[in-house]
Structures are given as structure tokens and as C-alpha cells.
């Protein structure tokens, strides 16, 4: 992973997002974002339960001062279900946090697939 060059203190952004959605972000997730906000992981592919390979297209920023952020991508349905997007995949789905688990969210069909239990587990699945 390439470290984010324009380092910013994301604690304010985390608190603002957590306040808006009414839940806390997992600590492992916040620690990675503090170091690599909006960076792109390499490798950037992982398998899901049905065997499909999923590829990151873009990680979303958690800097509340930017235009395209995790919060700005949340639909009303995502907000209602407390689903937090953090990346867009090559096929325009979202990788999201839901109940501290990682899911693949199809915004067009409002459908989700379980990916793994934690953000750390997702990072360990990358190939």
C-alpha cells in the first residue's frame, strides 16, 4: 500500500461520520485509514464465498473536507441499515462495513453478500 502523502488527522472525520450514522467504526479499520486514507491496496483482489474474484477500483476518502467521501456515497437505504461504503469495485459495487463485517453491496439491486468478519481479515485475503 502506498502511504497517503497529504497526511490529515482523520479523528475529526471519524467522529463526524460516526455521529451522522450513529455507530462507531472498528478500530482496525480506523488504524489503517489513518495511515492509508484513499490509498490503493496492492494486491487489490480477493475471493468471496461463491469463488468470484473481486477487484478494488477506488477507495473512498474518509476526509470530510473532500467532495467524494464514504459518507457522500451512502444512499438513504445504506444510512438506514448503517452500511458504510469504503471502496468501489471494478464492477461498480461497494465494499462496505455492516455490523463491523465486510460486505459487497450492489447498489442497483440493494443486495449484499458477506465477504468476511473484519477489515483485517479482508486485508489478509488480498491477492
Amino acid at each position: 500500500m502506498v502511504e497517503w502523502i497529504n497526511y490529515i488527522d482523520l479523528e475529526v472525520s471519524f467522529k463526524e461520520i460516526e455521529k451522522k450514522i450513529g455507530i462507531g467504526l472498528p478500530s482496525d479499520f480506523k488504524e489503517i485509514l489513518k495511515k492509508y486514507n484513499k490509498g490503493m491496496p496492492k494486491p487489490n483482489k480477493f475471493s468471496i464465498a461463491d469463488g468470484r474474484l473481486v477487484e478494488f477500483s477506488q477507495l473512498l476518502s474518509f476526509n470530510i473536507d473532500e467532495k467524494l467521501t464514504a459518507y457522500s456515497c451512502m444512499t438513504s437505504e445504506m444510512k438506514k441499515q448503517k452500511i458504510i461504503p469504503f471502496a468501489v469495485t471494478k464492477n461498480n459495487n461497494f465494499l462496505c462495513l455492516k455490523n463491523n463485517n465486510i460486505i459487497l453491496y450492489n447498489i442497483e439491486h440493494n443486495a449484499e453478500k458477506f465477504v468476511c468478519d473484519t477489515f483485517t481479515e479482508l486485508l489478509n485475503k488480498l491477492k
Side-chain angles (χ1 to χ4, degrees), residues 62-81:
F62 276 75
N63 176 0
I64 58 174
D65 295 328
E66 291 189 33
K67 202 173 247 189
L68 182 63
T69 67
Y71 188 75
S72 70
C73 289
M74 290 174 74
T75 64
S76 58
E77 186 62 30
M78 291 167 106
K79 290 175 186 174
K80 185 169 38 170
Q81 293 187 47

